[in-house]
Amino acid sequence: MEGSRDAGVLAEQMLASAYELILGGWCQGMSAQDELGRAIEPSSAFARSWSAPGALERVWRRMPLGDEGALPAFERANLALSAAIQDVPQCWNDAVDRTRDQVLDALVQASGLISALRERSLEEDLLDDLERYGAVPDALSSARSSADMAA
């Protein structure tokens, strides 16, 4: 369960980093553009603007290679973005009437979804612990009663 929480935190960080990238430059019709407006790999050092999914891809691909939580966090961030916009991210990003502000808002909403799920998971874990530990005194008292009867 701890790994799940870590993936949630990392996914939120990825969405925040994607937000910062989009603030610096946003594009449509491709994942990323160079300074001349040509299509380029999102992780390229020459990329200057990104689509929403392109920005997430850049953040993911630039994570340290040994970070095992990066892929699950990237997947979680993409799912949260899809849930926030209720569409395929690249298609949604590329809609003719889409604006950069809408993309930024969607990234914030996606982060909020992940945060809400993480908080709910923590509450569920705590309630499960309470139920499990609440059963311990009952089990101890029944064991004691059995021992008293045997004596």
Side-chain angles (χ1 to χ4, degrees), residues 84-117:
I85 60 176
Q86 298 181 0
D87 200 352
V88 176
Q90 191 66 51
C91 294
W92 179 85
N93 181 89
D94 294 346
V96 176
D97 59 342
R98 189 70 52 229
T99 66
R100 183 184 77 148
D101 287 340
Q102 290 172 325
V103 172
L104 293 171
D105 287 344
L107 291 168
V108 170
Q109 287 176 351
S111 183
L113 289 172
I114 290 172
S115 179
L117 286 174

PDB file of all heavy atoms in Angstrom, residues 84-117:
ATOM      1  N   ALA A  84     -10.209  13.629 -15.711  1.00  0.00           N
ATOM      2  CA  ALA A  84     -10.544  15.049 -15.538  1.00  0.00           C
ATOM      3  C   ALA A  84     -11.197  15.636 -16.792  1.00  0.00           C
ATOM      4  O   ALA A  84     -12.120  16.440 -16.698  1.00  0.00           O
ATOM      5  CB  ALA A  84      -9.297  15.852 -15.172  1.00  0.00           C
ATOM      6  N   ILE A  85     -10.725  15.209 -17.963  1.00  0.00           N
ATOM      7  CA  ILE A  85     -11.246  15.779 -19.213  1.00  0.00           C
ATOM      8  C   ILE A  85     -12.293  14.885 -19.865  1.00  0.00           C
ATOM      9  O   ILE A  85     -12.963  15.301 -20.803  1.00  0.00           O
ATOM     10  CB  ILE A  85     -10.105  16.059 -20.211  1.00  0.00           C
ATOM     11  CG1 ILE A  85      -9.360  14.780 -20.564  1.00  0.00           C
ATOM     12  CG2 ILE A  85      -9.173  17.117 -19.651  1.00  0.00           C
ATOM     13  CD1 ILE A  85      -8.290  14.917 -21.605  1.00  0.00           C
ATOM     14  N   GLN A  86     -12.380  13.643 -19.398  1.00  0.00           N
ATOM     15  CA  GLN A  86     -13.308  12.645 -19.930  1.00  0.00           C
ATOM     16  C   GLN A  86     -13.146  12.472 -21.435  1.00  0.00           C
ATOM     17  O   GLN A  86     -14.116  12.469 -22.200  1.00  0.00           O
ATOM     18  CB  GLN A  86     -14.745  13.004 -19.557  1.00  0.00           C
ATOM     19  CG  GLN A  86     -14.950  13.013 -18.070  1.00  0.00           C
ATOM     20  CD  GLN A  86     -16.370  13.338 -17.664  1.00  0.00           C
ATOM     21  OE1 GLN A  86     -17.238  13.569 -18.491  1.00  0.00           O
ATOM     22  NE2 GLN A  86     -16.601  13.338 -16.373  1.00  0.00           N
ATOM     23  N   ASP A  87     -11.880  12.336 -21.833  1.00  0.00           N
ATOM     24  CA  ASP A  87     -11.552  12.175 -23.248  1.00  0.00           C
ATOM     25  C   ASP A  87     -10.123  11.640 -23.345  1.00  0.00           C
ATOM     26  O   ASP A  87      -9.414  11.550 -22.348  1.00  0.00           O
ATOM     27  CB  ASP A  87     -11.663  13.521 -23.964  1.00  0.00           C
ATOM     28  CG  ASP A  87     -11.828  13.389 -25.476  1.00  0.00           C
ATOM     29  OD1 ASP A  87     -11.701  12.269 -26.016  1.00  0.00           O
ATOM     30  OD2 ASP A  87     -12.082  14.422 -26.124  1.00  0.00           O
ATOM     31  N   VAL A  88      -9.709  11.324 -24.558  1.00  0.00           N
ATOM     32  CA  VAL A  88      -8.326  10.940 -24.821  1.00  0.00           C
ATOM     33  C   VAL A  88      -7.496  12.227 -24.789  1.00  0.00           C
ATOM     34  O   VAL A  88      -7.808  13.173 -25.526  1.00  0.00           O
ATOM     35  CB  VAL A  88      -8.205  10.240 -26.199  1.00  0.00           C
ATOM     36  CG1 VAL A  88      -6.759   9.937 -26.520  1.00  0.00           C
ATOM     37  CG2 VAL A  88      -9.078   8.999 -26.238  1.00  0.00           C
ATOM     38  N   PRO A  89      -6.470  12.292 -23.934  1.00  0.00           N
ATOM     39  CA  PRO A  89      -5.752  13.558 -23.744  1.00  0.00           C
ATOM     40  C   PRO A  89      -5.244  14.242 -25.012  1.00  0.00           C
ATOM     41  O   PRO A  89      -5.424  15.452 -25.165  1.00  0.00           O
ATOM     42  CB  PRO A  89      -4.603  13.178 -22.805  1.00  0.00           C
ATOM     43  CG  PRO A  89      -5.187  12.081 -21.983  1.00  0.00           C
ATOM     44  CD  PRO A  89      -6.018  11.283 -22.965  1.00  0.00           C
ATOM     45  N   GLN A  90      -4.618  13.509 -25.931  1.00  0.00           N
ATOM     46  CA  GLN A  90      -4.089  14.184 -27.118  1.00  0.00           C
ATOM     47  C   GLN A  90      -5.215  14.729 -27.998  1.00  0.00           C
ATOM     48  O   GLN A  90      -5.122  15.845 -28.496  1.00  0.00           O
ATOM     49  CB  GLN A  90      -3.182  13.256 -27.929  1.00  0.00           C
ATOM     50  CG  GLN A  90      -2.392  13.978 -29.007  1.00  0.00           C
ATOM     51  CD  GLN A  90      -1.368  14.962 -28.447  1.00  0.00           C
ATOM     52  OE1 GLN A  90      -0.563  14.606 -27.590  1.00  0.00           O
ATOM     53  NE2 GLN A  90      -1.372  16.189 -28.939  1.00  0.00           N
ATOM     54  N   CYS A  91      -6.289  13.963 -28.162  1.00  0.00           N
ATOM     55  CA  CYS A  91      -7.431  14.437 -28.960  1.00  0.00           C
ATOM     56  C   CYS A  91      -8.045  15.668 -28.322  1.00  0.00           C
ATOM     57  O   CYS A  91      -8.368  16.657 -29.000  1.00  0.00           O
ATOM     58  CB  CYS A  91      -8.488  13.339 -29.098  1.00  0.00           C
ATOM     59  SG  CYS A  91      -7.935  11.925 -30.054  1.00  0.00           S
ATOM     60  N   TRP A  92      -8.208  15.619 -27.008  1.00  0.00           N
ATOM     61  CA  TRP A  92      -8.783  16.751 -26.277  1.00  0.00           C
ATOM     62  C   TRP A  92      -7.888  17.977 -26.399  1.00  0.00           C
ATOM     63  O   TRP A  92      -8.352  19.081 -26.670  1.00  0.00           O
ATOM     64  CB  TRP A  92      -8.962  16.355 -24.803  1.00  0.00           C
ATOM     65  CG  TRP A  92      -9.512  17.435 -23.948  1.00  0.00           C
ATOM     66  CD1 TRP A  92     -10.829  17.755 -23.765  1.00  0.00           C
ATOM     67  CD2 TRP A  92      -8.775  18.347 -23.140  1.00  0.00           C
ATOM     68  NE1 TRP A  92     -10.945  18.811 -22.895  1.00  0.00           N
ATOM     69  CE2 TRP A  92      -9.690  19.185 -22.499  1.00  0.00           C
ATOM     70  CE3 TRP A  92      -7.410  18.531 -22.907  1.00  0.00           C
ATOM     71  CZ2 TRP A  92      -9.309  20.207 -21.635  1.00  0.00           C
ATOM     72  CZ3 TRP A  92      -7.019  19.538 -22.049  1.00  0.00           C
ATOM     73  CH2 TRP A  92      -7.953  20.357 -21.426  1.00  0.00           C
ATOM     74  N   ASN A  93      -6.580  17.791 -26.210  1.00  0.00           N
ATOM     75  CA  ASN A  93      -5.609  18.877 -26.309  1.00  0.00           C
ATOM     76  C   ASN A  93      -5.662  19.536 -27.690  1.00  0.00           C
ATOM     77  O   ASN A  93      -5.541  20.755 -27.811  1.00  0.00           O
ATOM     78  CB  ASN A  93      -4.205  18.329 -26.055  1.00  0.00           C
ATOM     79  CG  ASN A  93      -3.131  19.392 -26.104  1.00  0.00           C
ATOM     80  OD1 ASN A  93      -2.809  20.013 -25.102  1.00  0.00           O
ATOM     81  ND2 ASN A  93      -2.558  19.605 -27.281  1.00  0.00           N
ATOM     82  N   ASP A  94      -5.859  18.710 -28.724  1.00  0.00           N
ATOM     83  CA  ASP A  94      -5.790  19.196 -30.103  1.00  0.00           C
ATOM     84  C   ASP A  94      -7.093  19.776 -30.639  1.00  0.00           C
ATOM     85  O   ASP A  94      -7.135  20.239 -31.782  1.00  0.00           O
ATOM     86  CB  ASP A  94      -5.322  18.069 -31.026  1.00  0.00           C
ATOM     87  CG  ASP A  94      -3.891  17.648 -30.736  1.00  0.00           C
ATOM     88  OD1 ASP A  94      -3.175  18.385 -30.027  1.00  0.00           O
ATOM     89  OD2 ASP A  94      -3.492  16.567 -31.212  1.00  0.00           O
ATOM     90  N   ALA A  95      -8.159  19.778 -29.841  1.00  0.00           N
ATOM     91  CA  ALA A  95      -9.434  20.344 -30.300  1.00  0.00           C
ATOM     92  C   ALA A  95      -9.243  21.798 -30.709  1.00  0.00           C
ATOM     93  O   ALA A  95      -8.505  22.552 -30.056  1.00  0.00           O
ATOM     94  CB  ALA A  95     -10.492  20.231 -29.204  1.00  0.00           C
ATOM     95  N   VAL A  96      -9.884  22.181 -31.791  1.00  0.00           N
ATOM     96  CA  VAL A  96      -9.708  23.518 -32.360  1.00  0.00           C
ATOM     97  C   VAL A  96     -10.002  24.633 -31.358  1.00  0.00           C
ATOM     98  O   VAL A  96      -9.289  25.638 -31.311  1.00  0.00           O
ATOM     99  CB  VAL A  96     -10.620  23.678 -33.615  1.00  0.00           C
ATOM    100  CG1 VAL A  96     -10.532  25.081 -34.166  1.00  0.00           C
ATOM    101  CG2 VAL A  96     -10.235  22.655 -34.668  1.00  0.00           C
ATOM    102  N   ASP A  97     -11.004  24.439 -30.523  1.00  0.00           N
ATOM    103  CA  ASP A  97     -11.381  25.500 -29.587  1.00  0.00           C
ATOM    104  C   ASP A  97     -10.678  25.401 -28.224  1.00  0.00           C
ATOM    105  O   ASP A  97     -10.975  26.158 -27.309  1.00  0.00           O
ATOM    106  CB  ASP A  97     -12.900  25.509 -29.385  1.00  0.00           C
ATOM    107  CG  ASP A  97     -13.426  24.191 -28.843  1.00  0.00           C
ATOM    108  OD1 ASP A  97     -12.717  23.165 -28.938  1.00  0.00           O
ATOM    109  OD2 ASP A  97     -14.560  24.180 -28.328  1.00  0.00           O
ATOM    110  N   ARG A  98      -9.706  24.489 -28.093  1.00  0.00           N
ATOM    111  CA  ARG A  98      -8.991  24.311 -26.820  1.00  0.00           C
ATOM    112  C   ARG A  98      -8.082  25.499 -26.562  1.00  0.00           C
ATOM    113  O   ARG A  98      -7.501  26.062 -27.484  1.00  0.00           O
ATOM    114  CB  ARG A  98      -8.158  23.024 -26.871  1.00  0.00           C
ATOM    115  CG  ARG A  98      -7.543  22.620 -25.570  1.00  0.00           C
ATOM    116  CD  ARG A  98      -8.549  22.140 -24.549  1.00  0.00           C
ATOM    117  NE  ARG A  98      -9.382  21.104 -25.134  1.00  0.00           N
ATOM    118  CZ  ARG A  98     -10.725  21.101 -25.061  1.00  0.00           C
ATOM    119  NH1 ARG A  98     -11.360  22.027 -24.405  1.00  0.00           N
ATOM    120  NH2 ARG A  98     -11.421  20.141 -25.635  1.00  0.00           N
ATOM    121  N   THR A  99      -7.945  25.881 -25.296  1.00  0.00           N
ATOM    122  CA  THR A  99      -7.032  26.958 -24.918  1.00  0.00           C
ATOM    123  C   THR A  99      -5.992  26.444 -23.936  1.00  0.00           C
ATOM    124  O   THR A  99      -6.201  25.427 -23.268  1.00  0.00           O
ATOM    125  CB  THR A  99      -7.781  28.131 -24.248  1.00  0.00           C
ATOM    126  OG1 THR A  99      -8.313  27.685 -22.989  1.00  0.00           O
ATOM    127  CG2 THR A  99      -8.903  28.658 -25.148  1.00  0.00           C
ATOM    128  N   ARG A 100      -4.915  27.173 -23.846  1.00  0.00           N
ATOM    129  CA  ARG A 100      -3.862  26.800 -22.896  1.00  0.00           C
ATOM    130  C   ARG A 100      -4.401  26.824 -21.466  1.00  0.00           C
ATOM    131  O   ARG A 100      -4.071  25.949 -20.659  1.00  0.00           O
ATOM    132  CB  ARG A 100      -2.677  27.747 -23.016  1.00  0.00           C
ATOM    133  CG  ARG A 100      -1.517  27.350 -22.095  1.00  0.00           C
ATOM    134  CD  ARG A 100      -0.407  28.346 -22.167  1.00  0.00           C
ATOM    135  NE  ARG A 100      -0.812  29.493 -21.381  1.00  0.00           N
ATOM    136  CZ  ARG A 100       0.011  30.264 -20.710  1.00  0.00           C
ATOM    137  NH1 ARG A 100       1.307  30.046 -20.773  1.00  0.00           N
ATOM    138  NH2 ARG A 100      -0.421  31.289 -20.021  1.00  0.00           N
ATOM    139  N   ASP A 101      -5.247  27.797 -21.151  1.00  0.00           N
ATOM    140  CA  ASP A 101      -5.810  27.875 -19.795  1.00  0.00           C
ATOM    141  C   ASP A 101      -6.661  26.654 -19.467  1.00  0.00           C
ATOM    142  O   ASP A 101      -6.643  26.169 -18.339  1.00  0.00           O
ATOM    143  CB  ASP A 101      -6.633  29.154 -19.625  1.00  0.00           C
ATOM    144  CG  ASP A 101      -5.755  30.398 -19.528  1.00  0.00           C
ATOM    145  OD1 ASP A 101      -4.553  30.259 -19.223  1.00  0.00           O
ATOM    146  OD2 ASP A 101      -6.273  31.511 -19.750  1.00  0.00           O
ATOM    147  N   GLN A 102      -7.387  26.136 -20.445  1.00  0.00           N
ATOM    148  CA  GLN A 102      -8.172  24.917 -20.217  1.00  0.00           C
ATOM    149  C   GLN A 102      -7.257  23.737 -19.934  1.00  0.00           C
ATOM    150  O   GLN A 102      -7.557  22.891 -19.081  1.00  0.00           O
ATOM    151  CB  GLN A 102      -9.066  24.617 -21.428  1.00  0.00           C
ATOM    152  CG  GLN A 102     -10.208  25.585 -21.598  1.00  0.00           C
ATOM    153  CD  GLN A 102     -10.946  25.371 -22.912  1.00  0.00           C
ATOM    154  OE1 GLN A 102     -10.344  25.025 -23.931  1.00  0.00           O
ATOM    155  NE2 GLN A 102     -12.261  25.582 -22.889  1.00  0.00           N
ATOM    156  N   VAL A 103      -6.141  23.667 -20.644  1.00  0.00           N
ATOM    157  CA  VAL A 103      -5.180  22.591 -20.434  1.00  0.00           C
ATOM    158  C   VAL A 103      -4.583  22.701 -19.031  1.00  0.00           C
ATOM    159  O   VAL A 103      -4.485  21.703 -18.305  1.00  0.00           O
ATOM    160  CB  VAL A 103      -4.080  22.612 -21.523  1.00  0.00           C
ATOM    161  CG1 VAL A 103      -2.976  21.622 -21.210  1.00  0.00           C
ATOM    162  CG2 VAL A 103      -4.687  22.336 -22.893  1.00  0.00           C
ATOM    163  N   LEU A 104      -4.215  23.899 -18.634  1.00  0.00           N
ATOM    164  CA  LEU A 104      -3.667  24.102 -17.289  1.00  0.00           C
ATOM    165  C   LEU A 104      -4.688  23.721 -16.222  1.00  0.00           C
ATOM    166  O   LEU A 104      -4.345  23.051 -15.237  1.00  0.00           O
ATOM    167  CB  LEU A 104      -3.216  25.558 -17.119  1.00  0.00           C
ATOM    168  CG  LEU A 104      -2.024  25.979 -17.983  1.00  0.00           C
ATOM    169  CD1 LEU A 104      -1.818  27.485 -17.898  1.00  0.00           C
ATOM    170  CD2 LEU A 104      -0.761  25.231 -17.588  1.00  0.00           C
ATOM    171  N   ASP A 105      -5.936  24.128 -16.424  1.00  0.00           N
ATOM    172  CA  ASP A 105      -6.999  23.776 -15.468  1.00  0.00           C
ATOM    173  C   ASP A 105      -7.177  22.260 -15.377  1.00  0.00           C
ATOM    174  O   ASP A 105      -7.379  21.718 -14.288  1.00  0.00           O
ATOM    175  CB  ASP A 105      -8.334  24.419 -15.867  1.00  0.00           C
ATOM    176  CG  ASP A 105      -8.365  25.915 -15.625  1.00  0.00           C
ATOM    177  OD1 ASP A 105      -7.495  26.427 -14.886  1.00  0.00           O
ATOM    178  OD2 ASP A 105      -9.266  26.582 -16.185  1.00  0.00           O
ATOM    179  N   ALA A 106      -7.100  21.576 -16.514  1.00  0.00           N
ATOM    180  CA  ALA A 106      -7.264  20.117 -16.524  1.00  0.00           C
ATOM    181  C   ALA A 106      -6.141  19.436 -15.745  1.00  0.00           C
ATOM    182  O   ALA A 106      -6.377  18.462 -15.028  1.00  0.00           O
ATOM    183  CB  ALA A 106      -7.301  19.601 -17.960  1.00  0.00           C
ATOM    184  N   LEU A 107      -4.920  19.953 -15.857  1.00  0.00           N
ATOM    185  CA  LEU A 107      -3.803  19.391 -15.103  1.00  0.00           C
ATOM    186  C   LEU A 107      -4.014  19.572 -13.598  1.00  0.00           C
ATOM    187  O   LEU A 107      -3.729  18.672 -12.802  1.00  0.00           O
ATOM    188  CB  LEU A 107      -2.480  20.013 -15.552  1.00  0.00           C
ATOM    189  CG  LEU A 107      -2.037  19.637 -16.967  1.00  0.00           C
ATOM    190  CD1 LEU A 107      -0.888  20.529 -17.427  1.00  0.00           C
ATOM    191  CD2 LEU A 107      -1.637  18.169 -17.041  1.00  0.00           C
ATOM    192  N   VAL A 108      -4.550  20.709 -13.206  1.00  0.00           N
ATOM    193  CA  VAL A 108      -4.859  20.961 -11.792  1.00  0.00           C
ATOM    194  C   VAL A 108      -5.969  20.016 -11.318  1.00  0.00           C
ATOM    195  O   VAL A 108      -5.888  19.435 -10.225  1.00  0.00           O
ATOM    196  CB  VAL A 108      -5.254  22.439 -11.571  1.00  0.00           C
ATOM    197  CG1 VAL A 108      -5.812  22.658 -10.176  1.00  0.00           C
ATOM    198  CG2 VAL A 108      -4.066  23.348 -11.820  1.00  0.00           C
ATOM    199  N   GLN A 109      -7.003  19.854 -12.130  1.00  0.00           N
ATOM    200  CA  GLN A 109      -8.096  18.941 -11.773  1.00  0.00           C
ATOM    201  C   GLN A 109      -7.586  17.507 -11.633  1.00  0.00           C
ATOM    202  O   GLN A 109      -7.982  16.786 -10.716  1.00  0.00           O
ATOM    203  CB  GLN A 109      -9.204  18.983 -12.825  1.00  0.00           C
ATOM    204  CG  GLN A 109     -10.024  20.239 -12.806  1.00  0.00           C
ATOM    205  CD  GLN A 109     -11.041  20.263 -13.951  1.00  0.00           C
ATOM    206  OE1 GLN A 109     -11.023  19.423 -14.851  1.00  0.00           O
ATOM    207  NE2 GLN A 109     -11.936  21.234 -13.910  1.00  0.00           N
ATOM    208  N   ALA A 110      -6.722  17.088 -12.544  1.00  0.00           N
ATOM    209  CA  ALA A 110      -6.169  15.734 -12.487  1.00  0.00           C
ATOM    210  C   ALA A 110      -5.386  15.530 -11.195  1.00  0.00           C
ATOM    211  O   ALA A 110      -5.513  14.500 -10.530  1.00  0.00           O
ATOM    212  CB  ALA A 110      -5.275  15.475 -13.703  1.00  0.00           C
ATOM    213  N   SER A 111      -4.607  16.517 -10.823  1.00  0.00           N
ATOM    214  CA  SER A 111      -3.854  16.437  -9.572  1.00  0.00           C
ATOM    215  C   SER A 111      -4.796  16.349  -8.376  1.00  0.00           C
ATOM    216  O   SER A 111      -4.557  15.583  -7.436  1.00  0.00           O
ATOM    217  CB  SER A 111      -2.937  17.658  -9.442  1.00  0.00           C
ATOM    218  OG  SER A 111      -2.168  17.568  -8.282  1.00  0.00           O
ATOM    219  N   GLY A 112      -5.884  17.104  -8.424  1.00  0.00           N
ATOM    220  CA  GLY A 112      -6.879  17.049  -7.355  1.00  0.00           C
ATOM    221  C   GLY A 112      -7.527  15.684  -7.242  1.00  0.00           C
ATOM    222  O   GLY A 112      -7.807  15.210  -6.141  1.00  0.00           O
ATOM    223  N   LEU A 113      -7.767  15.031  -8.370  1.00  0.00           N
ATOM    224  CA  LEU A 113      -8.338  13.682  -8.352  1.00  0.00           C
ATOM    225  C   LEU A 113      -7.391  12.698  -7.669  1.00  0.00           C
ATOM    226  O   LEU A 113      -7.810  11.873  -6.861  1.00  0.00           O
ATOM    227  CB  LEU A 113      -8.641  13.206  -9.777  1.00  0.00           C
ATOM    228  CG  LEU A 113      -9.808  13.878 -10.494  1.00  0.00           C
ATOM    229  CD1 LEU A 113      -9.855  13.431 -11.958  1.00  0.00           C
ATOM    230  CD2 LEU A 113     -11.117  13.562  -9.794  1.00  0.00           C
ATOM    231  N   ILE A 114      -6.128  12.797  -7.990  1.00  0.00           N
ATOM    232  CA  ILE A 114      -5.150  11.897  -7.374  1.00  0.00           C
ATOM    233  C   ILE A 114      -5.067  12.160  -5.878  1.00  0.00           C
ATOM    234  O   ILE A 114      -5.045  11.235  -5.070  1.00  0.00           O
ATOM    235  CB  ILE A 114      -3.770  12.056  -8.041  1.00  0.00           C
ATOM    236  CG1 ILE A 114      -3.824  11.498  -9.462  1.00  0.00           C
ATOM    237  CG2 ILE A 114      -2.680  11.355  -7.224  1.00  0.00           C
ATOM    238  CD1 ILE A 114      -2.605  11.762 -10.278  1.00  0.00           C
ATOM    239  N   SER A 115      -5.046  13.420  -5.506  1.00  0.00           N
ATOM    240  CA  SER A 115      -4.976  13.778  -4.086  1.00  0.00           C
ATOM    241  C   SER A 115      -6.182  13.241  -3.326  1.00  0.00           C
ATOM    242  O   SER A 115      -6.047  12.682  -2.236  1.00  0.00           O
ATOM    243  CB  SER A 115      -4.886  15.294  -3.955  1.00  0.00           C
ATOM    244  OG  SER A 115      -4.850  15.666  -2.610  1.00  0.00           O
ATOM    245  N   ALA A 116      -7.364  13.397  -3.905  1.00  0.00           N
ATOM    246  CA  ALA A 116      -8.591  12.915  -3.256  1.00  0.00           C
ATOM    247  C   ALA A 116      -8.565  11.398  -3.096  1.00  0.00           C
ATOM    248  O   ALA A 116      -8.955  10.869  -2.051  1.00  0.00           O
ATOM    249  CB  ALA A 116      -9.812  13.340  -4.059  1.00  0.00           C
ATOM    250  N   LEU A 117      -8.086  10.686  -4.098  1.00  0.00           N
ATOM    251  CA  LEU A 117      -7.996   9.228  -4.012  1.00  0.00           C
ATOM    252  C   LEU A 117      -6.988   8.796  -2.959  1.00  0.00           C
ATOM    253  O   LEU A 117      -7.205   7.842  -2.226  1.00  0.00           O
ATOM    254  CB  LEU A 117      -7.617   8.626  -5.364  1.00  0.00           C
ATOM    255  CG  LEU A 117      -8.722   8.611  -6.414  1.00  0.00           C
ATOM    256  CD1 LEU A 117      -8.173   8.136  -7.752  1.00  0.00           C
ATOM    257  CD2 LEU A 117      -9.879   7.741  -5.965  1.00  0.00           C
TER     258      LEU A 117
END
